[in-house]
Amino acid sequence: MARTPTTTDVFNAVAEASRRDLLDALGSGEATVGELAERLGLSQPTVSKHLGVLRAVGVVHVRVDGKHRWYRLNGPALKPIHEWVRRFERTWNTRLDRLDDLLAELQSQEKKQS
C-alpha cells in the first residue's frame, strides 16, 4: 500500500515530530529559516523542506522582506486537528472526574482507618 503524501492534509503534515517542533517554535512569532534551524538544532535544508510541507497544507505562511523570508503560523489551518481532538475531550474529562472521585473516596476511607 502506498504511503499518503505529507502534503495531502494537515494531519499528514504534522505527523512528523520535527514539523510539530517547527509549529511550536512559530507559535511565539515569525522567524526565518536560519533562526528556526538554530533554535531547533536542525540544518537549514531540513528546516526548509519541512516548512515547504507545512506551507503546502496552509499551516505556515511566508512573508518576503528583502532577502529574508519570514515564516509564521496560520492557526486556523490547524482547526481540523483541534476539532478531531476535541471529540475526545468529553470522554477524557469524564474518566478523569471518575478517577478524582475514586481517589477522594480512597483517601476518605484511609482517614477513617487511621
Side-chain angles (χ1 to χ4, degrees):
M1 176 181 222
R3 207 175 92 181
T4 305
T6 55
T7 55
T8 303
D9 60 49
V10 68
F11 288 95
N12 286 306
V14 301
E16 212 281 332
S18 293
R19 288 193 282 273
R20 291 191 305 272
D21 291 342
L22 281 168
L23 294 176
D24 287 341
L26 290 171
S28 60
E30 288 185 323
T32 64
V33 171
E35 291 170 347
L36 292 166
E38 185 176 319
R39 202 179 309 170
L40 299 174
L42 299 171
S43 70
Q44 286 189 2
T46 297
V47 170
S48 293
K49 176 185 149 208
H50 288 311
L51 286 171
V53 170
L54 295 171
R55 282 183 66 202
V57 297
V59 175
V60 169
H61 289 310
V62 64
R63 175 177 63 87
V64 178
D65 182 24
K67 294 182 188 179
H68 300 286
R69 292 177 162 275
W70 293 91
Y71 292 87
R72 70 184 181 283
L73 186 63
N74 177 25
L78 294 169
K79 189 174 180 177
I81 292 175
H82 173 74
E83 289 175 351
W84 181 76
V85 169
R86 207 171 78 189
R87 294 188 330 205
F88 299 98
E89 186 176 16
R90 177 178 288 149
T91 300
W92 283 107
N93 284 338
T94 300
R95 289 179 181 184
L96 290 171
D97 287 345
R98 288 193 334 230
L99 187 59
D100 283 342
D101 293 344
L102 177 61
L103 179 60
E105 182 181 326
L106 292 172
Q107 288 173 334
S108 175
Q109 289 174 1
E110 190 175 277
K111 284 181 183 178
K112 289 178 184 177
Q113 292 177 358
S114 299

